[in-house]
Amino acid sequence: MLNMADSLAALRSVAESPTVEILSAAFSRAGHELALVGGPVRDALLGRPVNDLDFTTSASPEEIIRIVKPHSSALWDVGREFGTIAARVLDETVEITTYRADSYDADSRKPEVVFGDTLEGDLRRRDFTVNAMALRLPGQVLVDPANGVDHLLARVLRTPSTPEQSFSDDPLRMLRAARFAAQLNFRVDEEVSAAMARMADRLTIISAERIRDELNKLLLSDIPRVGISLLVDSGLAERFLPELPALTLTQDDHKRHKDVYEHSLTVLDQAIALEYERSTDEVFVPNLVVRLAALLHDIGKPPTRRFEPGNVVTFHHHDVVGAKMVKKRLRELRYDNDTIKAVARLVELHLRFFGYTDAKWSDSAVRRYVRDAGPYLEELHILVRADVTTRNVRKADRLAFAYDDLENRIEELSKEEEMNAVRPDLNGEQIMAILDLRPGPIVGQAYAFLMELRLDHGPQSEEAATAALLEWYRDPA
């Protein structure tokens, strides 16, 4: 339960910070209104850290530049056509936007930008009431035309206008509802969630890049399960990530207490907990690759589901199939190549460990596990551990002990061999000199042979590697 006295004190503290006071005085001297708006007001009232300072003003973009320039070390447009100017004031980055009164075409992805003339009018066009509050400066008057404080106290997301009008104006707000529900742990008003379900098709006019950015923000929140569930239940996920709701139709291979969709959400929850537990950074930074992989690691199950004799359900090779599906979907959402490669690799490898519990691996098998994980080994550790969601305590303990053993062996071998940089004992130039070859396919085959030799037997002396290479070259079979 919020203590409003403490919340207002926190908001006053933000308003009295040096950066805010400098800007407040500058706009007042220039005869323009200025207000702290949206996220910083909401977060201060919630007792959350205020990381961004957003302002709205009666000044035009050109007037903003003129007023702010003498007080800033840097000034740049982040969207002058939308009325927004960013600046570096003292040690903080701020964004200042002219009052807006936008209108939207039903088939357009972008608003027709119209500048407004009142703070109240600007607030009424915002996405949710808890983001439609402002602190008018310098008098520190809270302006709340849509009862955002009441909704903040109730921890509920509502829209300043009707949900239909708000989502018709900007369909991306439906994804923001899911994101804010996850970030703030708020429930979504029933009228809002009903409108999301009715208007899900409106999402088709939004660019893949904007959808991706909202999905990322949701996944990087503390409890993404809340937002993911809302996206699936409303039908929105079907429009941009259909592989996820498809998991609700697939029973898991042991026909136990949860379907694959619920299992995936649990894996996501457990991966986040492990991120915190294993983090060595002073400031925790959530890992998008881990969270995407945890959410999507089983998307290969629906297309690989087979019913075997004895009413047994199998999902053979769903790891490989899932990795290909991940690549396709993330490309369509315009993810960068590094993220796509990392997530797909983790999905492809997430089952590899489970053979370790059947028979303890040789050193060469451990080396291959590390080699195949490459730079994603720590992420793979988290994903594999998180993938254990059984209620059978004895089985869960057995798997945890087995993975502890595997990590210990990796650490021991790494110390002995610098295994994180495993390479053949001879490089390409040495191979060509020994075999008197020019660059070509045989050199690559020889390199692969020496890599396998290293993985199977550990480091070799140059003489031993040369002898093995010559023997292979004489009889490569």
Side-chain angles (χ1 to χ4, degrees):
M1 184 70 179
L2 291 178
N3 181 312
M4 283 308 298
D6 290 343
S7 297
L8 291 172
L11 184 56
R12 283 195 299 272
S13 178
V14 175
E16 292 166 2
S17 69
T19 298
V20 175
E21 288 194 334
I22 286 171
L23 291 173
S24 175
F27 278 81
S28 180
R29 285 194 299 271
H32 281 290
E33 297 177 1
L34 183 72
L36 193 66
V37 70
V41 177
R42 178 200 68 219
D43 288 342
L45 290 174
L46 284 172
R48 290 163 54 92
V50 175
N51 298 315
D52 301 302
L53 291 176
D54 296 327
F55 299 87
T56 187
T57 180
S58 59
S60 69
E62 292 73 21
E63 290 169 325
I64 295 172
I65 292 173
R66 178 177 55 80
I67 294 168
V68 174
K69 191 172 184 179
H71 308 284
S72 65
S73 57
L75 197 69
W76 62 96
D77 292 354
V78 291
R80 186 186 296 206
E81 68 275 20
F82 297 108
T84 301
I85 302 297
R88 190 74 177 168
V89 179
L90 298 181
D91 59 347
E92 295 187 88
T93 298
V94 302
E95 288 190 3
I96 307 170
T97 303
T98 303
Y99 294 156
R100 297 259 296 271
D102 300 342
S103 61
Y104 288 74
D105 184 276
D107 298 316
S108 174
R109 293 177 178 177
K110 295 181 180 180
E112 178 186 347
V113 177
V114 178
F115 295 138
D117 53 12
T118 68
L119 174 59
E120 290 78 3
D122 178 273
L123 294 176
R124 288 193 177 93
R125 58 159 286 279
R126 292 178 178 261
D127 51 7
F128 301 102
T129 60
V130 296
N131 296 330
M133 299 179 289
L135 189 69
R136 197 188 295 275
L137 301 169
Q140 297 188 20
V141 176
L142 185 64
V143 182
D144 181 18
N147 299 317
V149 170
D150 290 342
H151 301 154
L152 203 70
L153 290 168
R155 304 187 73 82
V156 62
L157 287 174
R158 291 180 179 155
T159 53
S161 57
T162 66
E164 289 79 8
Q165 179 63 54
S166 181
F167 297 155
S168 180
D169 281 351
D170 185 358
L172 192 69
R173 289 173 174 173
M174 294 186 286
L175 295 191
R176 288 199 192 115
R179 190 241 295 182
F180 286 127
Q183 287 180 333
L184 305 175
N185 195 17
F186 277 23
R187 67 179 177 86
V188 175
D189 179 75
E190 289 181 4
E191 290 186 9
V192 173
S193 59
M196 290 168 66
R198 288 194 302 270
M199 301 178 68
D201 283 339
R202 282 283 290 157
L203 201 62
T204 58
I205 72 168
I206 301 298
S207 70
E209 290 84 356
R210 294 181 74 201
I211 291 173
R212 174 205 62 208
D213 290 347
E214 280 300 321
L215 177 62
N216 288 350
K217 292 173 184 176
L218 190 163
L219 286 172
L220 294 173
S221 69
D222 289 339
I223 44 173
R225 169 191 278 267
V226 172
I228 294 295
S229 297
L230 183 58
L231 293 178
V232 171
D233 293 344
S234 65
L236 285 165
E238 185 69 39
R239 272 66 181 180
F240 66 93
L241 195 58
E243 296 83 359
L244 192 59
L247 296 178
T248 63
L249 306 177
T250 306
Q251 189 177 39
D252 80 346
D253 49 342
H254 297 292
K255 302 170 73 173
R256 290 181 297 226
H257 56 283
K258 51 187 171 293
D259 59 23
V260 179
Y261 169 68
E262 278 299 321
H263 164 76
S264 298
L265 292 182
T266 301
V267 172
L268 177 59
D269 291 339
Q270 295 185 166
I272 292 170
L274 285 166
E275 277 187 70
Y276 279 102
E277 180 182 317
R278 296 171 70 100
S279 176
T280 58
D281 298 329
E282 289 186 12
V283 178
F284 174 75
V285 178
N287 190 316
L288 180 64
V289 166
V290 165
R291 297 180 184 206
L292 280 167
L295 183 65
L296 304 177
H297 74 285
D298 274 346
I299 64 170
K301 280 192 169 182
T304 60
R305 180 173 61 168
R306 300 291 182 270
F307 296 95
E308 306 292 348
N311 202 27
V312 174
V313 182
T314 64
F315 303 98
H316 295 312
H317 308 299
H318 76 269
D319 46 348
V320 177
V321 172
K324 293 177 181 178
M325 294 170 66
V326 160
K327 288 180 182 178
K328 181 176 184 295
R329 179 54 56 196
L330 295 189
R331 285 193 191 106
E332 291 183 1
L333 286 171
R334 305 293 190 269
Y335 278 87
D336 63 275
N337 289 334
D338 289 343
T339 299
I340 295 171
K341 180 181 178 181
V343 176
R345 192 61 166 158
L346 292 174
V347 172
E348 182 182 0
L349 293 175
H350 81 274
L351 289 182
R352 178 79 62 87
F353 157 74
F354 292 97
Y356 188 86
T357 59
D358 299 329
K360 193 169 183 177
W361 288 352
S362 64
D363 285 352
S364 62
V366 175
R367 293 187 191 102
R368 284 186 173 84
Y369 189 76
V370 174
R371 178 198 63 181
D372 291 346
Y376 319 121
L377 182 61
E378 176 59 22
E379 287 86 351
L380 184 59
H381 290 333
I382 291 174
L383 177 60
V384 172
R385 287 183 180 274
D387 197 23
V388 178
T389 61
T390 178
R391 289 181 176 177
N392 184 321
V393 176
R394 183 175 297 178
K395 181 178 180 181
D397 286 345
R398 177 169 58 85
L399 290 169
F401 292 148
Y403 209 86
D404 288 343
D405 182 65
L406 176 58
E407 284 204 66
N408 288 334
R409 290 184 64 195
I410 289 171
E411 185 176 359
E412 290 169 3
L413 285 171
S414 295
K415 290 176 181 176
E416 293 174 8
E417 305 176 10
E418 297 181 357
M419 195 171 61
N420 289 331
V422 170
R423 292 181 178 84
D425 298 289
L426 300 173
N427 61 33
E429 290 184 358
Q430 289 172 304
I431 291 170
M432 288 187 287
I434 292 167
L435 301 181
D436 193 22
L437 294 174
R438 289 179 171 274
I442 294 178
V443 177
Q445 294 168 19
Y447 190 92
F449 162 74
L450 290 171
M451 174 63 86
E452 292 300 312
L453 184 71
R454 172 68 184 272
L455 291 170
D456 285 336
H457 303 291
Q460 307 289 303
S461 67
E462 185 173 338
E463 293 77 10
T466 299
L469 175 64
L470 289 169
E471 183 178 350
W472 171 85
Y473 188 60
R474 285 193 295 268
D475 184 13

